[in-house]
Amino acid sequence: MTNKTSPREQALAFRSLHVPGRPLVLPNVWDVASARLVEDAGAAAVATTSAGLAWELGAADGDRLSGGDALAALTRIADAVTVPVSADIETGYADDAAGVGDTIRAVLAAGAVGVNIEDGLYGGGAPLRPVAEQAARIAAAREAAEAAGVPLFVNARVDTYLRGAGGLEETLERAAAFLAAGADGVFVPGAVDPVTVKALAEGIEGPLNVMAGPGAPAVPELAALGVARVSVGSGIAQAAHALVRRAARELLDAGTYDALAAGLDYGELNGLLGVGRQKA
């Protein structure tokens, strides 16, 4: 692991970054290279994207990547940076609450001090997990972190807007239950309309995280609405992969290289990922 403060100190530092009106901004990462680039750009913390990480490892998003593969990748990312790391662990890589607790212990061992746990369900049937069942999973995550002595930041993702499974009332109800169960913050992807975001920030008794992207209000506007955390999900990964396809098609179809003109300098990138990275 790279030289950094203790897990407890990292966790406390990460918690302190969630300030309504002065949001923590997270350009989500999916591998060591993206993590180092984001840290080098000045990010106060690093957060993974489950979709980007799954694609990097050859799987589709949506609980299709194994927990073992995800945690191995998380370990490499946490080892590569000195800032706090938060892990998107999808629904917890577990069938029940006890399994979520096991996942949290593995997340802490990997070096992360924050997690996103979503309430969506995959594979047909209801789009969202029942509130009581999801609350039990969040409580198990909190208990595992407390037993380890690390004040892990548990970000409860509520997929009402993302999955078309409810509006403001349902979201606030879920948010309240998850905070009562031990969550520290609430993540509501799919909600970027200023009126909705303001209502969420005012109605949720904890830091609000929204997922931004093209067409969403800029970070200063979200800050003014009371948002405490802004992330971009798989957006940067999607943009990077779009460049790969564009450059490949140009090379194969036209035989030209214009798409490569804005690439990072070889020496700069090689140095960022190699020279000077000290192992403890």
Side-chain angles (χ1 to χ4, degrees):
M1 180 178 292
T2 52
N3 294 323
K4 59 173 73 176
T5 58
S6 72
R8 178 175 176 78
E9 291 171 316
Q10 288 260 310
L12 290 171
F14 186 61
R15 282 175 168 276
S16 73
L17 297 171
H18 294 76
V19 181
R22 198 175 72 230
L24 167 63
V25 179
L26 296 169
N28 299 81
V29 309
W30 61 95
D31 62 7
V32 168
S34 58
R36 287 289 297 119
L37 287 165
V38 165
E39 180 184 41
D40 188 63
V46 161
T48 64
T49 156
S50 64
L53 194 149
W55 298 334
E56 173 73 12
L57 298 177
D61 188 29
D63 269 354
R64 294 178 177 89
L65 182 66
S66 76
D69 286 344
L71 289 162
L74 176 62
T75 299
R76 291 191 293 271
I77 290 169
D79 276 349
V81 299
T82 59
V83 295
V85 174
S86 183
D88 184 339
I89 60 171
E90 302 191 66
T91 64
Y93 303 124
D95 293 330
D96 55 22
V100 173
D102 292 337
T103 295
I104 294 302
R105 284 182 278 275
V107 164
L108 293 171
V113 294
V115 291
N116 284 1
I117 305 177
E118 62 193 71
D119 64 353
L121 285 172
Y122 299 93
L128 302 180
R129 195 178 298 276
V131 172
E133 185 180 337
Q134 182 66 5
R137 294 165 76 87
I138 289 171
R142 171 57 55 215
E143 290 166 10
E146 288 185 354
V150 178
L152 178 80
F153 191 98
V154 178
N155 204 27
R157 183 173 129 176
V158 180
D159 279 359
T160 41
Y161 286 93
L162 190 66
R163 305 287 289 272
L168 181 62
E169 183 178 346
E170 293 84 356
T171 304
L172 293 178
E173 176 187 335
R174 284 180 168 265
F178 300 159
L179 289 168
D184 300 290
V186 176
F187 178 26
V188 187
V192 292
D193 170 72
V195 173
T196 301
V197 171
K198 189 172 190 297
L200 289 169
E202 292 176 348
I204 293 173
E205 296 294 326
L208 172 65
N209 178 188
V210 299
M211 183 169 70
V219 171
E221 297 174 71
L222 293 171
L225 296 171
V227 172
R229 175 167 163 176
V230 179
S231 51
V232 293
S234 60
I236 297 176
Q238 289 174 251
H241 295 318
L243 173 59
V244 172
R245 182 166 68 179
R246 186 164 63 251
R249 286 180 172 172
E250 180 192 354
L251 178 61
L252 294 170
D253 296 343
T256 54
Y257 326 102
D258 293 344
L260 307 180
L264 286 172
D265 176 77
Y266 173 89
E268 178 186 2
L269 188 56
N270 204 44
L272 182 67
L273 289 166
V275 178
R277 302 304 298 160
Q278 298 297 323
K279 295 292 182 179

